[in-house]
Amino acid sequence: MSGEYLFSYGLGILLTLWVLWDLVSGSAYLWHRHTRSDEPGLYWLAMLLWSALAVTCFTYPYWSL
């Protein structure tokens, strides 16, 4: 496996762990902290963006540019 795969998968795993931690803690960070109880829309937007970034880390090595 090349270094590109290892870096991409490693970053994807770290981002997935971060998303799981944010789900458990109830707060997520974009430009500042958003809590699920106070700002649910921005919290779920942040979760969606971090999750999408994690998914692209796993799919990026298979993109043919």
Side-chain angles (χ1 to χ4, degrees), residues 41-56:
L42 290 174
Y43 169 80
W44 288 111
L45 175 65
M47 296 304 292
L48 178 70
L49 291 173
W50 286 122
S51 298
L53 184 61
V55 167
T56 60

Side-chain angles (χ1 to χ4, degrees), residues 16-53:
T16 301
L17 291 173
W18 186 356
V19 167
L20 292 174
W21 175 257
D22 285 351
L23 282 171
V24 170
S25 71
S27 66
Y29 291 88
L30 280 177
W31 51 92
H32 61 64
R33 184 172 161 240
H34 300 288
T35 58
R36 188 172 36 218
S37 59
D38 295 334
E39 303 171 299
L42 290 174
Y43 169 80
W44 288 111
L45 175 65
M47 296 304 292
L48 178 70
L49 291 173
W50 286 122
S51 298
L53 184 61

